[in-house]
Structures are given as structure tokens and as C-alpha cells.
Amino acid sequence: MIWQQIVNGIVAGSAYALVALGYSLIYGVLGLINLAQGEIYMAGAFGLWIAAAVLGLPLPLAVLFGLLFSAVVGLSMERVVFRPLTGRHPLIPLLAAIGLSIFLQSVALLAFGPETRPFPLEFEPQLWNLGPVTLSTLQLLLVTTALALMGGLFWYVHASRHGQALQAVAMDREAARLVGIKPHQCVAQAFGIGGMLSGAAGMMMAAYYNATYPYMGVLPGLKGFCAAVLGGAGSIPGAILGGLILGLSENLGAAYIHSGFKDGYAFAILIAILLLRPQGLLGKSK
Amino acid sequence: MAAYILHLAILGGMYVLLAASLNIPVGLSGQVSLGHGAFFGIGAYISGLLAIHYAVLPFPLLLVLAGLGSAAVAVLLSPPALKLKDEYLAVVTLGFGLIFELGLKNLAFTGGTDGLYGLPNFGMQGADFLWWVWGAVALCLFVTSRLRKGQFGRNLTAIKESERTARTLGIAPLPLKVGCFALSALFAGIAGSLYAHYITFINPGVFGLHTSILLLCMVVLGGMGTVLGPLAGGILLFLLPELLQEFADYQDLVYGGLLIVILIFRPQGLLGRAPGQGRRRFPLRRRTQPAPASTSNA
Amino acid sequence: MPQLPNFSRCVLCLCALLLAMALTACQDSTTSKEQAQNQADQTQALKIGAVLRLSKGASDGLPARHGIEIAVQEINSQGGIDGRPLEVVYYDSKDDATTAVNAVQKLISVDKVEAIIGPMMSGNVLAAAPLCQRNNVVLLTPTGTSPRISEAGSYTFRLCSRIDDQARALVQEALSRVGTDPTVAILYSNEPYGKGSKELFTRYLAEQDITPATVESFQRGDKDFQAQLTKIKQLNPDILFVPGYLQETAPLISQARQMGIDALSVGVFGDMAPKYIELAGKAAEGHLIAGEYNKHKDTERNQDFVNAYEALLEDQPKAPENIMFAALTYDAVHLLRQSFSTGATTGSAIQSFLDELEAFDGITGTLSFDANGDVQKGGVYLFEVQNGTYRKL
């Protein structure tokens, strides 16, 4: 059974990792924790729902629409809420993000109603038996998509000019400006890309759990936050590692210790790690 | 109508007390806590469980034990956590609150998700509770104001501005920060006991993340670090659902929007001092990043 | 204290004003009872209160509200009760005990009602019950299933079956289908409703000398049950009990079937909604549950109600659909109507009326209440999902 639980953990962990990447990108560039990341996750899922159920678009276009929608939501957050708050005490944007979270949840509630919507496109569950493990095509699809997105992000950050500018701003904002990089553009990029990643996670989970509803981003947002900090806020590999550890610990803890505490295992591990290594697993120590 | 206003005054007072208690670590020493609901809950459950199992104990004793119990937990658990800074402390307190809630739901002796029902109210009427609650509020505000002014307060401000500098001046940050948390837990625990015996029913849902966030918002809205800020913030946010009864569907929308607007345009809260006005007790600039030379859009 | 800026002073004055209002209000001497009497004498509207899940749990609360609206419309279009129209004051419980208590307090002190329909969740009922008891106001919950509600006081009544009767019937039916010595697994929602059900299932299984092979749980809002289901699949159960709310149990059964778990699935009445079948899809086939209302019941009154409900849904296409909750509150309103029409309009009179009631013709059954205020309707209704809809067994 343990292998099956590990598979479960990897699938869930991939989604958490994507959300955590959103947090880390923004934190790296701006030093701010966007606690409304979970709502971008939700926006992605609803974006896809609008495209598929209302506009009638086929899956690939619907996914694209969802990604664009999430990017727009992320960028608007930056422009409307976080840009006016640059330079303030860190608690301020943290709380603004909480307010934003509540605000967006209500917008979704008012726009879409409280009902849970099933995923608007059909998926035939095909099961593959590989020894002790049973995988569904959906699980495989999700993990490969997540890996592809992470790969894309790595390439972007390390190999593309824009990505390198992002890294430069994260390392030293003033120095970056001196060599002609525009920090505000990089910040916008971080929000846009981070938004797309979270939105992708939202779409994936809407398919996996067959559920889209306004409050769907609350727990994944918190867990993504947990994963990002666990791996070291601001670190991209850290976010991925954090997400995986989180997914695995939840599933293994629920299976072998007590399923009632499922949501708590990740935080327990986080607390333990932070006490020993305050900057997180792969974070930079100050 | 009278009974309803009385009820609001009592319950509102409890939230003001909780906000005032949270103001001590958040406002005075800049320690963000997203798990304050847990201290509220610890006090409530200590008081409730003692009342059920040891019916002879009088109410004032339960109140004190609830407060002390909560403070003890703070003293035990906070030292390792308080070495972490801002965001990390935020997530640890978040985790603590979450684990506490899960613990309440899963352990048998706390009544699990059913909660504790039929707690005694010691024959007290509404008006009695009113005095207890607002008495506790007054005490907490008094303690806050004394802390702010004395050496303790100055040391806390030093820590808030820059821990490294404070250390060079011979101030040991950790005991002070733990002290803040312990005090805040003390008053939160007292609020818990008051809640338990007023409503006579407690369950884990009351003490979760939703409440912790509400309290933090009350502190920020009122003005972090000011003495009367929690009073203003608490009363306003508590009464907001009442005022918005007509627009029940839009309540959360207004709530979130209001928070954002206040933070952008008046981050010092309702009663705080604007930057440049009078002595600045609260740094509005980040500690580590240098302030941008101009607000260029480059 | 140093001089405060003007703005701050305004804020503090406002706070002081509010506090002063609260303190002077303590000395107010008019009692709510006197005013209730005044109300009873005049030809004013008869007011009742409703505390429902109108925002977070709106998929349950809105249908409940619709049931009330249909009943009120019916009553008022026929001239009301002795010429007095019926009026309902609605409050949202927001799934929060404190908000529910506030709402009940307001209904009692400000709106001065003598009876309240709701709250809907057991925890909120337990929190509000002492308040109603102290003020002699009847609390009629349409959906609170916790056994503890039976001891919540003489003013608390409930319209749904006690969950233990439901559980006993479900266990009997499930066992009758799978033969001797079955393997049983329980996966419950860890909040009062699911947990209460879990305890009852375990108890009734124990009476048949059966111990569940495993008991797992999940939280409200969870969507990922892989961990628990993987563990359960290993045991190859014959019966899987899954008490909880449909927002979780629907994805749960869907994931279970995807994994290849083909045990008989047994749920509780939280699953009795078209939404469950919509979310679970084919995985819902064969699901066994206990319900409170049979919409296919062949009486004229019931058919009128079903038609009225369907008409309402056509007018409001975005509304969540759950005819069972609507039926329960519909009967609640008519119970109160009957009470009012016999002249019992104050809380204590309504309470006596309900206590002594025998054989009320409701659409959820022939109703009466036992000494604890629990509804008696001659047995539990069991349903099974067949071909995408619920059929009564």
C-alpha cells in the first residue's frame, strides 16, 4: 500500500508545488507573501469552467483561457493592491492579501453561486495496474503537466533574458536597476507567471476532484504557503521540494497515523523544520 | 431590543478583549500571529472542562486558571518560534492554530467535533457578564498603555525597529517577545472562559483560522500599537455584520474591500498616527530593503 | 494621554456612544412578553423567525428557504391565519455558532418572534437552544440530526428522524444484502453530523457482532480521499459507510469507484440531493441512504407541493435544488400555522400544541412529536439510487 500512498502524495504534491512556486516567485522578487494565491488557483478553475461550460470551448482552448484568466487576476492584484503598498512594513501587504482573499471569495460567490460544479469536460477514467500501484490516466496527466510547467519555469528563469532579470531583481533590486532592469516589470512578471502556475494547479485539481466552487482555494492556498516556506521562501527548487514533502506527508500521515489530522501533518513538519533551520530547507540564510 | 443590545455589548466586549490581547505582540513588538484563536480556545476549553469535572470551582478561579493555562502554553511553545521573522512566524502560528483545531476535533476528552455542551453559567445574568468582560478589557488596555510607556515598551520598540541594533544595546529580545505572547495569551484565555460560560456551548469551529484572521484585522484596523485601537477596530468589525444586515450577501465583499482600502490609504489604522505626525512609534518602512530614492515607475 | 487628532477623537466618541447605548438599554423595563401579548391581540401579521444556512451552506439553506416561501405564499393567498398574514424574518447562520446565536437573540429581542425554524446544523442548534429555552421561544429545527438535540430542552423540536433510527435501518438493510460475516469499512466526515453517524453505525454493527475492519475520517472541505481510500481498498470491504455532506461524499464515492472499490455504499440523508448524483455521476448508482421525504408520494397535497417547487426552480434557474429540505421546512411552517389557527400564538402555547399533537398530515409523513421533541413519522424512509434518481425502497 505504501507505494500507492506515495503515488497519491506525488499527485497532490504536484499541485501544492505549483501553488508554492507562485508564492516563491513573488516572495523572491518582492519579499511579500501573497496570501491570496489560493484565490488565483480558484480563478484558474473558474476560468476554465467559463470557457468550457459557458463559451463552449474545447479543452485545449479552455485551458489556455484559464491560464490567461489567472495571469490577469494575478497582474491586477499586483497593480491594484500590492503596488501601492511597496516599501511598507511587511505586515501590511500580508494583511492586504488576506483582505484580498476574502474579497475575491465573495466575488466568486456572488458571480457563480455557492454550488459545487463538476468539471465541465468528460474524462474517461482508465486505470493502469503497475505492480503494487494503480494509476489513472488523469493522475498521469496531472503529474506530467506539472512537471512540464516546472520545467518551463526553470528554463524561463535560467535561460531567458526576462527570467534572468527576475533573478537579478530578487538578488539585489538596486543593482538590477543600475544595469537597466526595470524592477516593476519584473514584479509584474512574477505575479503573472506565479498566477498562471497557481491557476494551472486549480484547473488540474478541478479535474481531479471533479469540483469547482468559490472556497476551493482556501486550503490549497494555505498549504501552498506552507510548502513554499518549508522549502525556503523565494527558492524555486525549494517550492517544488516543499510541495512534494507536503503531499507525501499528508497522505502517509493520514494512512499510517491518523486520518483525522491529515491537514496538520504538513504544518507539523514545517514547524519542526523551521525550528531547526529557520530559513527553510533550501532557503538562503541571512 | 434591550436584551439584544446587551448581548451585542457582551459578545463585542469579548472580541475587543481578544483584539486588545493580540495588540500586545502584534502592535507593541511587531510579532505577527495568525493563530490567536488557539489561545482563545485553550482558555475556553480549560474553563469548560474544569467546570464539568470539578463543579465546585467558583467562576473567578476558572477565569484565572483559564488565563494562566493559556499563558503557560504560550511560554512553553513560543520561544523556538519567536526566533523566526515575520513571514515564517506567520506560517508557524498559522500551523499552530490549525493543529490545535484538529486536536480539538479528534481528541475524545475535548468532546471532539460535538464540543462541550451545557456548561454552567454560574447563575450570572447578562449584566454580570457585561461587567466581567469590560472589566477585563479595561485591565488589558491599562496593561498595554503601561507597557508602551515604560522601559519595557521602549525596549519593544527598539526590537521592532531593528533587532540587531537592540541586541547591541544590551536588550535581550527573546524574553521580551515571549513575555508579550504570554500576556496576550493570558487575556485571550480569560476571554475564552467568559465566552464558554456565557454561551454555555463551545465547539472547535469558534476558535479556528477564521477567528484568528478576524482578530488580526481588528488590531490592524484600529491601529497597531495604539492603546485604544483594538477598541475601535473591535467594535467596528464586530458591528459591521449588523450594520450590513440589509446587504447580507455583500458583507464579506465589504469586509475584504474595507480592509484593503484601509491598508492602502490609512495603514496606521483608525487611531494610529499618520507618518510624520507626532512621534512615530511604528515603522512604516521595511527594515531590510533600502527605501527607494524616488517613487519612480522605472 | 497626548492630544489625539480629530479623526481619532470622532472614532472614540462613536465607540463611547455605542457603549452608552448598551448600558442604558440594560435598564429598559418593557419585557418582550408584554409586547408579544400586544401583538397577539391585534390583527397584525404573525411573525416567525428562520435561521438558515444562507451563504456558506446555501445549497442546503436556500432550498430550505424556498420551502418556507412556498408554504407562506400558500397560506397568505388563502387569507392568512384567521385573516392575519404570516410573515417570516430570515437570518443567515453563516455556519457559525456565534452568528447563529446572535441571530436567535435578535429574533427573540428585536423581532419578537415566538417560534424559530432552524438553525440547520446540529452544533448551532445546541448553541441556540438554551437561549430559546430561557425565553420560552420554540425552536423547530428541520435538519439537526445529532442525538444530543433530544436533550436540548422542552422548547426544542426537530422535524427530521433521529439519526440513530436512520442508522439502525440502514445497517439492517445493508447487512441483509451482503450475507454473513461481511467486511465493513467506515469513512466519516469529522464534524458532529458525520461523527454522530459513525458512532451509531458502529453501535448497530456491534449489536450484530460485526466490527468494522477500519474507521477513517476526513474534514469538511476535503476533496482528496486517496489516502484513506487506498487503505480501505486493501481490505476489500463488502460495505462502505460514508456519512457526511455531499460536497465531500460525492467526490469521495467517485474516487472510490475509480479506484475499483465496489462495496455497497451507504450514506446518510446529506446525500439525498440531486446535486449528489450530479457530482458523483455513475459512481452514485446503487448508493443506499435514509431520507426524510419521498417526492413520489401519491397524494394531492404532495403533488401540489412538488409542482410549486418545480415552478419556483424554473423562475430561479441558478437556485440550488433540494426538494427534501424544502419539504421539511414546508411542513414546519404548516405545523406552526396549525398551532396559530388554534389560538396558540405564544411560545409556551406553541410548545404545548406541538407536544400534544397527534397525526399531523404533513408531506414528509404523518407527524407527531415524542417527549423529547423528536418527530415521529412511523419509521425511516430508505432510498437507493437507481438509474440516476432516488427511489424509495
Side-chain angles (χ1 to χ4, degrees):
Chain A
M1 171 173 70
I2 188 167
W3 291 110
Q4 186 65 54
Q5 296 289 13
I6 289 178
V7 166
N8 297 338
I10 292 177
V11 178
S14 313
Y16 294 142
L18 288 175
V19 181
L21 281 170
Y23 279 103
S24 275
L25 276 174
I26 295 173
Y27 184 82
V29 142
L30 205 54
L32 127 81
I33 297 274
N34 177 16
L35 279 176
Q37 203 70 15
E39 273 53 58
I40 310 183
Y41 168 103
M42 180 262 292
F46 271 107
L48 186 145
W49 184 84
I50 293 174
V54 175
L55 299 174
L57 299 174
L59 181 65
L61 285 177
V63 169
L64 218 63
F65 186 87
L67 286 174
L68 274 165
F69 191 66
S70 335
V72 166
V73 171
L75 287 168
S76 325
M77 276 188 195
E78 193 273 321
R79 187 68 194 80
V80 175
V81 177
F82 295 113
R83 195 176 297 185
L85 295 177
T86 32
R88 305 264 187 93
H89 187 280
L91 193 58
I92 306 273
L94 192 79
L95 292 167
I98 293 178
L100 194 52
S101 209
I102 298 173
F103 185 80
L104 289 172
Q105 284 165 21
S106 338
V107 167
L109 194 64
L110 288 168
F112 302 106
E115 289 277 51
T116 307
R117 290 154 207 279
F119 194 68
L121 299 156
E122 276 301 310
F123 265 111
E124 273 310 312
Q126 252 194 323
L127 296 176
W128 305 75
N129 285 305
L130 306 164
V133 168
T134 310
L135 291 175
S136 71
T137 36
L138 193 54
Q139 286 176 314
L140 279 171
L141 190 67
L142 296 181
V143 177
T144 41
T145 312
L147 283 172
L149 286 170
M150 289 179 211
L153 184 70
F154 260 119
W155 170 84
Y156 178 81
V157 170
H158 292 288
S160 81
R161 280 195 60 208
H162 292 293
Q164 288 174 333
L166 207 71
Q167 280 192 310
V169 172
M171 273 192 269
D172 188 334
R173 204 186 173 104
E174 278 308 304
R177 187 182 286 134
L178 284 174
V179 299
I181 295 173
K182 303 190 164 81
H184 270 304
Q185 279 188 358
C186 289
V187 167
Q189 266 180 60
F191 269 90
I193 296 175
M196 279 203 282
L197 291 170
S198 300
M203 291 190 277
M204 280 166 43
M205 290 297 119
Y208 191 47
Y209 300 140
N210 197 24
T212 303
Y213 58 105
Y215 295 106
M216 66 188 284
V218 176
L219 267 175
L222 289 177
K223 291 182 183 174
F225 177 35
C226 178
V229 175
L230 176 62
S235 156
I236 290 175
I240 299 176
L241 184 63
L244 284 173
I245 293 180
L246 207 144
L248 285 169
S249 64
E250 271 194 349
N251 280 277
L252 291 174
Y256 292 105
I257 307 178
H258 191 304
S259 50
F261 281 95
K262 184 161 173 228
D263 293 331
Y265 294 118
F267 281 96
I269 291 184
L270 172 77
I271 291 174
I273 300 269
L274 282 183
L275 296 179
L276 297 169
R277 207 182 144 79
Q279 68 272 32
L281 288 170
L282 299 179
K284 302 180 250 298
S285 53
K286 293 256 159 84
Chain B
M1 177 58 91
Y4 185 59
I5 293 183
L6 182 63
H7 171 78
L8 285 182
I10 295 171
L11 213 51
M14 288 183 206
Y15 280 92
V16 168
L17 179 61
L18 286 166
S21 69
L22 185 59
N23 190 30
I24 298 175
V26 172
L28 295 185
S29 77
Q31 304 290 302
V32 60
S33 169
L34 284 172
H36 206 57
F39 291 122
F40 180 30
I42 291 174
Y45 271 89
I46 288 179
S47 193
L49 288 169
L50 285 176
I52 288 178
H53 295 292
Y54 300 101
V56 290
L57 298 176
F59 177 63
L61 182 62
L62 286 178
L63 208 58
V64 167
L65 287 174
L68 288 177
S70 205
V73 172
V75 169
L76 281 170
L77 293 184
S78 61
L82 288 174
K83 293 188 189 137
L84 302 167
K85 69 175 178 73
D86 297 324
E87 301 82 21
Y88 296 83
L89 181 62
V91 74
V92 165
T93 51
L94 183 76
F96 169 59
L98 211 89
I99 293 175
F100 174 70
E101 202 187 337
L102 288 174
L104 284 180
K105 284 186 185 176
N106 285 294
L107 298 170
F109 78 94
T110 59
T113 47
D114 294 332
L116 298 176
Y117 178 70
L119 298 172
N121 69 356
F122 300 99
M124 290 195 283
Q125 301 292 344
D128 300 315
F129 277 106
L130 197 69
W131 290 117
W132 279 107
V133 169
W134 286 96
V137 169
L139 183 64
C140 187
L141 294 182
F142 176 72
V143 167
T144 310
S145 107
R146 288 250 69 97
L147 284 181
R148 243 170 53 127
K149 295 192 173 135
Q151 185 62 40
F152 191 69
R154 284 196 283 273
N155 290 347
L156 287 176
T157 314
I159 294 171
K160 206 163 57 171
E161 302 268 344
S162 167
E163 257 191 60
R164 209 180 303 160
T165 315
R167 251 186 270 258
T168 62
L169 294 172
I171 301 172
L174 194 62
L176 290 177
K177 292 200 277 190
V178 173
C180 279
F181 258 91
L183 265 176
S184 84
L186 179 78
F187 284 107
I190 290 177
S193 173
L194 289 165
Y195 182 91
H197 298 290
Y198 176 61
I199 305 269
T200 72
F201 171 71
I202 52 176
N203 69 356
V206 183
F207 310 109
L209 183 61
H210 179 75
T211 304
S212 299
I213 290 181
L214 176 67
L215 296 176
L216 195 57
C217 293
M218 287 177 174
V219 174
V220 173
L221 189 68
M224 283 184 271
T226 63
V227 175
L228 296 175
L231 185 68
I235 291 182
L236 209 74
L237 281 183
F238 180 74
L239 291 180
L240 198 68
E242 290 308 309
L243 300 168
L244 293 179
Q245 198 58 251
E246 302 300 303
F247 310 101
D249 288 341
Y250 298 90
Q251 260 176 42
D252 276 348
L253 200 74
V254 170
Y255 186 64
L258 188 70
L259 195 61
I260 297 173
V261 163
I262 296 264
L263 286 168
I264 294 179
F265 295 107
R266 204 186 160 87
Q268 69 273 30
L270 291 171
L271 297 184
R273 262 174 248 285
Q277 198 186 37
R279 256 184 326 154
R280 210 156 39 98
R281 302 200 127 266
F282 166 62
L284 292 170
R285 297 222 169 268
R286 280 184 56 78
R287 288 181 232 136
T288 48
Q289 284 265 17
S294 61
T295 51
S296 61
N297 273 327
Chain C
M1 203 186 303
Q3 270 291 45
L4 293 170
N6 283 332
F7 183 78
S8 308
R9 273 192 277 186
C10 286
V11 172
L12 281 173
C13 284
L14 180 67
C15 297
L17 189 67
L18 289 169
L19 273 172
M21 271 171 61
L23 285 172
T24 51
C26 292
Q27 275 108 56
D28 193 325
S29 56
T30 319
T31 64
S32 58
K33 282 294 144 233
E34 289 179 22
Q35 294 190 291
Q37 284 298 89
N38 291 340
Q39 186 185 289
D41 294 330
Q42 291 150 23
T43 50
Q44 287 178 356
L46 281 162
K47 275 206 282 194
I48 59 177
V51 178
L52 305 171
R53 306 174 62 194
L54 295 174
S55 53
K56 290 228 168 78
S59 15
D60 292 349
L62 281 176
R65 184 178 173 142
H66 294 150
I68 298 179
E69 286 170 357
I70 292 175
V72 169
Q73 228 246 335
E74 218 177 83
I75 293 169
N76 287 344
S77 67
Q78 289 165 10
I81 304 161
D82 296 332
R84 299 173 68 177
L86 186 61
E87 199 183 294
V88 183
V89 182
Y90 295 94
Y91 285 108
D92 180 6
S93 67
K94 296 197 190 160
D95 283 11
D96 174 48
T98 310
T99 311
V101 168
N102 279 359
V104 167
Q105 177 71 70
K106 199 164 179 191
L107 282 169
I108 293 175
S109 320
V110 179
D111 302 293
K112 311 253 194 270
V113 302
E114 299 290 324
I116 298 174
I117 299 180
M120 295 175 76
M121 294 178 87
S122 298
N124 298 346
V125 173
L126 290 172
L131 196 52
C132 289
Q133 189 77 18
R134 278 201 294 275
N135 289 284
N136 296 352
V137 169
V138 165
L139 189 157
L140 192 50
T141 173
T143 52
T145 51
S146 165
R148 288 166 118 193
I149 293 178
S150 303
E151 293 128 41
S154 56
Y155 275 85
T156 302
F157 294 85
R158 76 165 115 201
L159 270 168
C160 50
S161 320
R162 262 177 72 123
I163 203 170
D164 46 2
D165 295 328
Q166 292 180 7
R168 192 185 299 118
L170 284 168
V171 167
Q172 270 176 356
E173 176 66 27
L175 290 178
S176 76
R177 292 184 182 201
V178 294
T180 51
D181 206 20
T183 315
V184 174
I186 303 183
L187 180 50
Y188 70 97
S189 166
N190 194 7
E191 38 67 45
Y193 178 52
K195 191 154 162 235
S197 313
K198 179 260 298 183
E199 269 147 34
L200 290 165
F201 285 137
T202 319
R203 190 198 310 168
Y204 295 123
L205 286 169
E207 281 176 10
Q208 308 292 326
D209 281 328
I210 298 175
T211 323
T214 186
V215 179
E216 304 293 325
S217 70
F218 56 89
Q219 306 293 330
R220 290 238 55 196
D222 271 0
K223 292 288 185 259
D224 189 331
F225 309 97
Q226 301 290 329
Q228 297 94 322
L229 287 171
T230 304
K231 195 169 168 190
I232 287 174
K233 176 162 185 203
Q234 291 256 296
L235 304 164
N236 217 357
D238 301 299
I239 312 177
L240 180 62
F241 288 96
V242 281
Y245 290 88
L246 66 83
Q247 288 84 3
E248 289 84 49
T249 54
L252 190 159
I253 199 70
S254 182
Q255 287 173 33
R257 299 296 183 217
Q258 268 197 9
M259 251 188 216
I261 298 177
D262 52 14
L264 168 66
S265 67
V266 182
V268 287
F269 88 157
D271 296 343
M272 184 154 180
K275 188 50 110 169
Y276 177 83
I277 299 180
E278 188 190 331
L279 287 178
K282 291 190 279 245
E285 265 322 282
H287 191 57
L288 183 65
I289 58 170
E292 297 300 318
Y293 167 67
N294 178 18
K295 78 172 186 184
H296 301 290
K297 182 165 144 180
D298 201 10
T299 67
E300 192 187 325
R301 200 148 168 263
N302 190 39
Q303 283 311 307
D304 284 344
F305 170 74
V306 173
N307 293 338
Y309 189 67
E310 278 165 13
L312 188 148
L313 285 180
E314 269 177 34
D315 281 341
Q316 302 182 32
K318 268 175 42 170
E321 181 190 341
N322 192 324
I323 198 170
M324 179 180 69
F325 289 131
L328 286 164
T329 50
Y330 177 88
D331 270 354
V333 175
H334 277 289
L335 277 166
L336 291 174
R337 175 205 38 91
Q338 180 100 322
S339 170
F340 289 154
S341 67
T342 65
T345 52
T346 62
S348 45
I350 301 173
Q351 191 247 352
S352 309
F353 173 83
L354 291 174
D355 261 346
E356 290 153 21
L357 186 65
E358 294 173 358
F360 174 82
D361 179 29
I363 56 173
T364 59
T366 310
L367 312 177
S368 64
F369 293 98
D370 70 6
N372 288 327
D374 292 327
V375 76
Q376 304 296 305
K377 46 195 195 191
V380 176
Y381 304 158
L382 292 181
F383 294 81
E384 185 182 5
V385 177
Q386 294 167 1
N387 294 324
T389 81
Y390 290 101
R391 289 278 154 198
K392 184 165 182 299
L393 295 178

